[in-house]
Amino acid sequence: MTPLDVFLQQIVNGLTIGMIYALIALGYTIVYGIAQLINFAHGEIFMVGAYFGLLAYTLIQLLPVGSVGFLFILPLIFLFVMTLTALLGVIVERFAYRPLREAPRLAPLITAIGVSFLLQNAVMILFGPADKRFPSLIEIHKLSFHHVTITNLQIMITGFSLILMLVLHTFIKYTRMGKAMRALADDREAACLMGINVNQIISIAFLIGSALAGAGGIMFGMYYNTINFHDGYLAGLKAFSAAVLGGIGNIPGAMVGGVLLGILEGMGAGYISSEWKNVFAFFILILILLFRPHGLLGSRVVKKV
Amino acid sequence: MKKLLTFSRFKNLAILLVFFIFPLIDRSPYHIDVMVSAGVFIILALGLNVIVGYAGILNLGYAALFACGAYLYAISNIHFHIPFWTGLFISGFGTALFGMLLAFPALRLSGDYLAIVTLGAGEIVRIILNNVDQVTGGPNGLLGIDHPTFFGLRFGVKSGPYYYLIFVMVILLVFFLKRLESSRLGRAWTAMREDELAASSMGVNLMWAKLTAFGIGGFIAGIAGCVFASKQGSISPDSFDFVVSVMVLAMVVLGGLGTIRGAITGALILSLLPEFLRGFEMYRMLFFGLAMILMMLFRPQGIFGEVRYKTRFSSGKKGRFSLTPEARKQ
């Protein structure tokens, strides 16, 4: 393998996991942009999504379908999981965040931590504390270009993530609801005076973010083949970093940040050592923030008295 | 002339007395042990309260400072045989320095960006501790850290002496922090917390205010780390992960940001609650999470927090200007 091959291989691996980070990061960024709230339970929703995926897979196996049908069943699993996590996100918002909308800023942070504990332990009780095997769901084929290997799963993850992002972009940019979301992110009080239903839009933000996290959860499971109730914490942390990296509240920023973080991490793992890859990711994050305090794509907010 | 024994003084004295005689009445070593670990968290909460409560800087990596204090004492004790009391100074001042180093990004950033930097720094410290095996012992940590001695009295592994050590430390800290609160520096912090721009136009040196907040917060975390390491006799990176940072933050917020009583009460509640839930075993942390949510829903400003009211347009009541608690600016 030439150094270039190694480099390209790290890019491919980093891009795949970066796409998953980006999907989770989108949830952080949408919610932050609209409600100015760091939803610390978001990582757990991602984790729950992975477990819902496992549940869906187990349920489907009970049905009389051969392994042939999995290409058709896969969208079904995604739909099932995304609906459930979206619902979960809306419920969490309704009970843990909405009552605290006018409360001091750190209060929702504490309920978010409470929700994290709740979800983590609920999953641990229901599914057990050990690692769970997650099936790849599709048959893995390896494609090689020179010495760079790409699996069809990696292509699927990247492709599907891109589609989801495109759908989100279209929704935010071209629909009435998306316009309302942007208005709310710009100026809540003015949006309110224009007759926008704040509670409804915030619910929608949670719904979208959680659905994306659920999709990310299944893909994470398919890619790594094991899931654990602890997975939400580190993935959430990194996705949050990715959102900040791109400029929190900024949707293209979250995508760029996620992919960038994934690739940086891949590089760190490939060239330095896998134990240090997290240091690498966080170190780069701090450096970027030092030189661009508002993230890569975030706009500088001018303080007014 | 001031009255010497007002009701609030009497109340404080009574609380002190209860805590003073607690180990003499309840002789269960387990209970005292739990109280000692709660005590370490009280010290930590008091320290984080300086950064988050007084100065209004959201810090999500406080465990890094705690770890710094613990490892400073452990390393200096194991490799250089430095006794506990000297180690206390090394941990305190070393961690203060480290905290100020961490504060440098804080001088350029604010709000949630700063929070993520503290979070990243916390993770970096933990991973470094895990991987620099020669110095920190890696994931296994360090073993055989000396217990303190006090004028020939060996502290050993029993919890009693540590209980009183922490008891005295907390009293000293509360005295110190009370003074600090209303000092020039304390008032500068409050001004900065409420409005950075306004504070800086009134002549508050923001850089100095942030550095000292991290320095003093770090000093307190260092002391807590040192006591923790000497009590445990062994430390490993697991004791300093993100959950610890989050728990200490939860204690401070739950008690009421910026109040000493709040930090102490919050630390006591959150470190004792899991013990009371021990009967539920498997569902313990589930109930713990639920309890955290409920407590916050009923008192969003924290147990001892004050609510400041401000007239503003509220989205809750349609088309009416109403009195709503003001969201605290970070």
Side-chain angles (χ1 to χ4, degrees):
Chain A
M1 276 174 105
T2 61
L4 184 69
D5 287 336
V6 178
F7 181 76
L8 287 177
Q9 185 69 58
Q10 298 310 334
I11 296 255
V12 169
N13 294 348
L15 188 68
T16 314
I17 187 67
M19 280 294 172
I20 299 178
Y21 289 156
L23 281 183
I24 315 171
L26 281 171
Y28 278 110
T29 227
I30 296 172
V31 166
Y32 187 88
I34 290 169
Q36 270 80 50
L37 172 98
I38 304 175
N39 177 14
F40 259 103
H42 193 59
E44 310 313 329
I45 293 196
F46 156 82
M47 178 272 297
V48 170
Y51 274 90
F52 277 151
L54 191 65
L55 192 73
Y57 171 75
T58 325
L59 285 179
I60 280 173
Q61 277 205 318
L62 296 177
L63 298 174
V65 279
S67 57
V68 200
F70 255 104
L71 210 59
F72 304 101
I73 285 168
L74 200 60
L76 254 164
I77 294 185
F78 271 96
L79 203 65
F80 173 79
V81 171
M82 287 169 76
T83 315
L84 282 186
T85 49
L87 207 66
L88 183 66
V90 172
I91 292 173
V92 166
E93 193 274 330
R94 179 66 191 81
F95 291 104
Y97 301 140
R98 189 177 295 181
L100 294 174
R101 191 132 325 140
E102 305 292 336
R105 266 204 55 181
L106 286 181
L109 201 71
I110 303 305
T111 51
I113 297 163
V115 171
S116 293
F117 278 141
L118 201 74
L119 290 178
Q120 266 189 26
N121 285 282
V123 167
M124 192 195 75
I125 291 165
L126 289 174
F127 293 91
D131 279 3
K132 281 267 174 203
R133 230 197 87 71
F134 198 99
S136 292
L137 296 178
I138 55 173
E139 214 175 304
I140 306 280
H141 298 290
K142 281 187 178 157
L143 311 166
S144 293
F145 304 96
H146 294 289
H147 293 284
V148 184
T149 318
I150 304 178
T151 63
N152 57 342
L153 181 62
Q154 285 178 318
I155 295 174
M156 189 218 98
I157 290 176
T158 313
F160 188 54
S161 305
L162 282 175
I163 292 173
L164 284 177
M165 290 173 195
L166 211 66
V167 169
L168 177 71
H169 181 76
T170 319
F171 177 80
I172 300 277
K173 191 109 197 219
Y174 298 109
T175 63
R176 228 178 123 73
M177 199 85 90
K179 205 177 190 177
M181 290 174 98
R182 281 182 287 144
L184 210 54
D186 249 13
D187 187 332
R188 187 194 285 194
E189 300 202 349
C192 217
L193 290 167
M194 295 297 126
I196 290 171
N197 185 345
V198 178
N199 283 336
Q200 186 200 356
I201 298 296
I202 291 181
S203 282
I204 301 272
F206 271 85
L207 186 133
I208 294 174
S210 308
L212 292 177
I218 308 178
M219 293 198 264
F220 179 87
M222 287 167 75
Y223 192 53
Y224 286 110
N225 293 121
T226 51
I227 50 173
N228 187 281
F229 72 100
H230 275 310
D231 284 342
Y233 149 71
L234 198 64
L237 209 63
K238 282 185 190 160
F240 179 49
S241 307
V244 178
L245 191 63
I248 196 155
N250 184 311
I251 289 173
M255 301 177 193
V256 172
V259 171
L260 202 64
L261 192 76
I263 290 176
L264 285 175
E265 203 184 276
M267 296 288 167
Y271 287 110
I272 305 173
S273 83
S274 53
E275 281 98 55
W276 291 92
K277 73 172 184 184
N278 292 337
V279 171
F280 201 66
F282 286 116
F283 191 66
I284 295 281
L285 173 83
I286 291 179
L287 274 186
I288 289 183
L289 281 186
L290 279 179
F291 292 107
R292 269 199 71 87
H294 296 278
L296 288 176
L297 301 183
S299 50
R300 183 173 286 273
V301 182
V302 182
K303 276 192 212 164
K304 283 179 226 151
V305 183
Chain B
M1 212 179 101
K2 268 198 200 161
K3 264 164 79 180
L4 268 173
L5 203 70
T6 58
F7 175 70
S8 90
R9 278 196 183 181
F10 177 74
K11 194 182 68 188
N12 288 344
L13 276 177
I15 292 172
L16 272 185
L17 194 70
V18 167
F19 278 109
F20 185 75
I21 59 172
F22 171 77
L24 306 174
I25 296 170
D26 189 341
R27 302 200 72 93
S28 148
Y30 178 69
H31 288 175
I32 300 171
D33 208 48
V34 169
M35 284 305 284
V36 168
S37 45
V40 171
F41 274 108
I42 290 180
I43 300 180
L44 281 174
L46 285 172
L48 186 62
N49 190 35
V50 173
I51 301 176
V52 184
Y54 293 168
I57 301 167
L58 178 55
N59 187 331
L60 293 173
Y62 198 58
L65 298 176
F66 182 38
C68 179
Y71 272 90
L72 272 179
Y73 171 61
I75 291 168
S76 57
N77 178 266
I78 290 173
H79 294 297
F80 307 106
H81 305 288
I82 285 172
F84 174 77
W85 301 102
T86 324
L88 202 59
F89 276 94
I90 294 179
S91 288
F93 287 105
T95 313
L97 222 75
F98 180 62
M100 282 157 106
L101 205 71
L102 284 186
F104 268 102
L107 306 176
R108 279 181 58 96
L109 299 168
S110 60
D112 297 319
Y113 291 96
L114 180 52
I116 188 78
V117 167
T118 58
L119 190 156
E123 280 300 299
I124 289 177
V125 166
R126 198 176 58 84
I127 298 165
I128 289 176
L129 292 179
N130 254 318
N131 289 297
V132 190
D133 292 22
Q134 300 87 343
V135 189
T136 64
N140 299 326
L142 293 167
L143 301 163
I145 304 161
D146 281 342
H147 299 298
T149 52
F150 186 62
F151 291 115
L153 170 75
R154 299 187 140 276
F155 274 36
V157 287
K158 275 208 189 118
S159 301
Y162 297 97
Y163 182 91
Y164 285 106
L165 175 70
I166 290 171
F167 183 76
V168 172
M169 275 180 170
V170 169
I171 292 177
L172 288 176
L173 266 179
V174 169
F175 180 74
F176 168 70
L177 290 173
K178 266 267 176 263
R179 294 275 154 159
L180 196 65
E181 240 175 40
S182 45
S183 72
R184 194 181 162 80
L185 185 60
R187 283 176 283 134
W189 283 338
T190 313
M192 182 172 75
R193 175 186 75 201
E194 298 302 324
D195 192 330
E196 268 194 21
L197 206 57
S200 124
S201 359
M202 299 315 272
V204 171
N205 185 344
L206 292 183
M207 189 172 129
W208 176 241
K210 284 179 182 173
L211 275 180
T212 45
F214 270 86
I216 293 174
F219 181 84
I220 298 173
I223 287 177
C226 182
V227 173
F228 177 76
S230 72
K231 162 76 176 60
Q232 297 285 315
S234 66
I235 47 172
S236 73
D238 283 347
S239 316
F240 310 102
D241 65 1
F242 181 59
V243 179
V244 175
S245 303
V246 164
M247 283 305 286
V248 179
L249 183 66
M251 289 165 181
V252 178
V253 176
L254 181 74
L257 273 176
T259 60
I260 292 172
R261 283 182 299 173
I264 295 176
T265 317
L268 273 176
I269 291 178
L270 286 193
S271 38
L272 297 186
L273 192 62
E275 300 302 325
F276 285 115
L277 292 173
R278 220 165 250 291
F280 300 98
E281 276 311 327
M282 213 171 153
Y283 300 97
R284 188 161 71 109
M285 290 311 280
L286 196 83
F287 283 129
F288 184 66
L290 204 62
M292 266 168 94
I293 299 172
L294 290 179
M295 279 194 268
M296 233 46 229
L297 290 184
F298 283 115
R299 251 190 109 73
Q301 72 275 27
I303 298 168
F304 292 109
E306 291 153 22
V307 194
R308 286 164 303 139
Y309 286 92
K310 182 191 175 193
T311 316
R312 58 171 289 202
F313 181 72
S314 156
S315 54
K317 300 179 180 82
K318 271 179 197 151
R320 216 195 309 156
F321 281 87
S322 63
L323 217 54
T324 54
E326 194 203 353
R328 177 172 268 179
K329 292 187 189 82
Q330 280 294 331

